[in-house]
Structures are given as C-alpha cells and as structure tokens.
Amino acid sequence: RGLWLDHDNQNVLLEDLVVCNNERAGVYSEKNPGPVVIRTSDICDNGGPGIRTSASHQLTVENNVITGNAISQFHFSGQFDVTLTDWLTGEVFLLNNEAWSLRQNTVEASDDQFLVYTTFAEDDLDLLMSTSTLSMNSYSSDRTDAFRLGDGSTLDFVSWLARTGQDEGSVFTGP
C-alpha cells in the first residue's frame, strides 16, 4: 500500500501528496474516527484502488486527481459498528462509515476499472450516503457502468445519482 492509515487516526491532514505506482491501494483509511482530510493530491496507477476505506468516520477527499488505479478509484468497504478504543482517553465507541465529504475531485478510470466500487450492503450504503456529501466531482470512464454496488450490480452515472442521492453538480464523461 502507498499510505495506510490504520486504527484510531484523528486530526490528520494529508496534502499535496503523490501516491502513485504502489503494489496495492494508494491510500487506505481503516478504522479511523477522523477527521482525516486528503486534498490536492495525485493518487494514480496503483495496483489496487486509489482510495480504499474501511470503518472510517469524518473522511474528506477534496481537490484530488484520482486516476488509473486497478479495480477502482474509490473502494468503499469494511464493517459497520466496529468497536474502537481511543488509545489516549480509553473511551470505547462504535465506528461506522459515516460523515464523508468527497468533493471537487477529478476521477478517471479505464474500461476495466470502476470509478466507485462498494462492497456495502444496501442498508449500509444508505447510511453512508445519508450522512455524507459527494459533490462537484468530475468523473471520466471508458465504460458507461462505472459504479459497482455491493450486490455486484453496476450503474451508469444517472443511475448512481438516483440510487445515492449524491454527486450534486458532478459531471460524467464517457463513451
């Protein structure tokens, strides 16, 4: 992995990174209460997803170029209701994939890659989308069905918008 934020990261700002050509995911955010902010970075040509998530709360991804990563550019995965103990305070709490902001990113995929790939069950995706904001992203793909859901079905951009209720002001360029 290029950069792996694993377990209990808080108040993290990652800015102006170049995370490219790694064997696996470019950035992996796992079990983090956040906030974690990734901005103005290039995340490209990695052997796994550009940005992979698992049980991440308060994740902001803004003004990045995310392109050419294997499998997908965004991979939403992991469990919900994960018990986490704050290493500093000892507080125990439940962590979910919630309160994300993905905005003003340039996201590009080729024909064998997805723009967004999620393994979430329908109810979990609904929770994420009801607590998050995706907006003003510029998507480009060689395939029309560039969004993959947890049940294995794929969606075109218009269906993605309808299914998630997100990506206001975002655009899609495709075949």
Side-chain angles (χ1 to χ4, degrees), residues 34-112:
V36 172
V37 177
I38 304 166
R39 71 173 168 221
T40 59
S41 296
D42 292 320
I43 302 167
C44 60
D45 303 317
N46 292 291
I51 297 177
R52 183 174 180 182
T53 63
S54 179
S56 291
H57 187 80
Q58 297 185 53
L59 174 66
T60 298
V61 180
E62 62 185 2
N63 297 309
N64 299 288
V65 175
I66 306 164
T67 183
N69 298 288
I71 305 167
S72 63
Q73 309 321 298
F74 288 109
H75 186 141
F76 306 159
S77 65
Q79 299 173 327
F80 283 69
D81 294 330
V82 173
T83 302
L84 186 69
T85 303
D86 184 301
W87 69 271
L88 188 59
T89 66
E91 176 187 0
V92 177
F93 55 94
L94 286 180
L95 190 60
N96 279 307
N97 294 288
E98 295 179 294
W100 294 1
S101 176
L102 281 60
R103 62 180 178 255
Q104 297 179 323
N105 297 290
T106 299
V107 186
E108 300 174 349
S110 64
D111 60 350
D112 63 335

Side-chain angles (χ1 to χ4, degrees), residues 15-16 24 79 82 111 134 175:
E15 192 170 47
D16 300 325
R24 293 186 181 175
Q79 299 173 327
V82 173
D111 60 350
L134 285 68

Side-chain angles (χ1 to χ4, degrees), residues 131-145:
T131 62
S132 300
T133 302
L134 285 68
S135 66
M136 305 300 291
N137 295 299
S138 175
Y139 296 107
S140 177
S141 178
D142 293 338
R143 60 187 301 164
T144 55
D145 63 339

Side-chain angles (χ1 to χ4, degrees), residues 2 14 21 23 31 67 77 81 97 109 113 117 134 139 168:
L14 303 172
N21 300 307
E23 188 175 320
K31 296 181 183 175
T67 183
S77 65
D81 294 330
N97 294 288
Q113 304 162 346
Y117 182 113
L134 285 68
Y139 296 107
E168 182 176 338

